[in-house]
Amino acid sequence: GAVVSQHPSRVICKSGTSVKIECRSLDFQATTMFWYRQFPKKSLMLMATSNEGSKATYEQGVEKDKFLINHASLTLSTLTVTSAHPEDSSFYICSAPTSHSSYNEQFFGPGTRLTVL
Amino acid sequence: RKEVEQDPGPFNVPEGATVAFNCTYSNSASQSFFWYRQDCRKEPKLLMSVYSSGNEDGRFTAQLNRASQYISLLIRDSKLSDSATYLCVVTRDNYGQNFVFGPGTRLSVLP
């Protein structure tokens, strides 16, 4: 099946720093990618839709100036958590739909675990 | 009301048991439906898509009732390896790409 990678898999940073997370589709092109956040014992919550060549679409309650998204190419989307604080500590997962699937299946990256001290 | 609701769980069952999970969704415009499983500290993985006619994949059977906006997953002859959190997923719109995840139901299969 299609493969989506994320980097880094884990990051620990000090409060106030910015953290960039990369999401890559390895064997297919993705004009759209999705960014989710998952807090412990909770389900995935969609943060934003990343669109290649245009601005990202953010879900209600997600600050676009804090969570910067750049979809620079058909295989790469980045999420930058700016001025991170301990409450931003979470599991961040990206996904990409593949046009090869007729069932609107999405493939998920392995996730990035962010811990802000 | 949440967009997708699931049995709160957790479900603790012995090996070999049959277990059923329920899910309801509120958006009648949803077009695609899935069950994903998520292991602890891992990304979700697709278990199966769900069709109106119902579908079966080995020990797993999924059913969809559009009129009731209800989805189910049945696991027969449960294995230790089935222990995971099961996520009910529906699409938010007609384009079928915007996923909404349910809160998940935790299953523990005990030896």
Side-chain angles (χ1 to χ4, degrees):
Chain A
V3 178
V4 175
S5 71
Q6 272 185 249
H7 178 79
S9 58
R10 177 185 291 264
V11 59
I12 301 173
C13 68
K14 292 182 179 179
S15 184
T17 59
S18 294
V19 176
K20 180 186 283 189
I21 302 171
E22 293 185 348
C23 177
R24 293 181 186 273
S25 56
L26 297 184
D27 53 358
F28 66 100
Q29 295 182 332
T31 55
T32 301
M33 290 183 175
F34 300 94
W35 286 97
Y36 297 85
R37 179 168 54 184
Q38 185 176 32
F39 292 107
K41 300 189 185 298
K42 300 291 185 182
S43 193
L44 281 75
M45 296 297 294
L46 180 65
M47 299 175 66
T49 303
S50 174
N51 304 299
E52 189 270 336
S54 64
K55 290 183 179 180
T57 306
Y58 290 82
E59 294 298 300
Q60 190 173 9
V62 178
E63 300 175 58
K64 62 180 181 182
D65 294 329
K66 180 170 180 62
F67 298 100
L68 301 179
I69 290 174
N70 182 20
H71 199 139
S73 75
L74 288 171
T75 59
L76 173 65
S77 174
T78 60
L79 168 69
T80 301
V81 183
T82 62
S83 186
H85 288 93
E87 58 265 30
D88 297 323
S89 299
S90 187
F91 192 45
Y92 291 86
I93 307 176
C94 69
S95 74
T98 169
S99 59
H100 296 297
S101 169
S102 59
Y103 307 129
N104 298 314
E105 182 177 354
Q106 290 192 26
F107 293 90
F108 288 83
T112 297
R113 193 160 301 279
L114 171 64
T115 302
V116 184
L117 302 176
Chain B
R1 182 184 173 189
K2 293 180 180 177
E3 287 188 78
V4 181
E5 299 192 72
Q6 293 184 240
D7 290 328
F11 284 52
N12 299 313
V13 303
E15 272 188 287
T18 295
V19 60
F21 299 138
N22 301 311
C23 170
T24 58
Y25 61 97
S26 61
N27 186 354
S28 59
S30 297
Q31 293 293 324
S32 299
F33 310 89
F34 308 91
W35 283 102
Y36 277 74
R37 73 169 275 168
Q38 186 176 26
D39 295 290
C40 188
R41 304 174 79 86
K42 298 286 187 181
E43 76 276 21
K45 292 189 183 296
L46 178 66
L47 180 64
M48 58 197 308
S49 302
V50 189
Y51 310 116
S52 295
S53 56
N55 49 304
E56 184 174 316
D57 183 2
R59 298 181 293 109
F60 300 86
T61 301
Q63 296 279 353
L64 166 66
N65 185 321
R66 285 185 184 268
S68 302
Q69 295 180 197
Y70 167 83
I71 306 163
S72 66
L73 175 68
L74 184 75
I75 305 176
R76 290 181 299 278
D77 188 24
S78 53
K79 312 290 185 190
L80 295 176
S81 57
D82 294 334
S83 297
T85 296
Y86 290 82
L87 303 168
C88 177
V89 182
V90 306
T91 56
R92 181 178 283 170
D93 52 39
N94 291 335
Y95 301 106
Q97 291 189 345
N98 203 330
F99 277 19
V100 180
F101 283 82
T105 302
R106 172 79 189 154
L107 171 66
S108 293
V109 180
L110 308 173

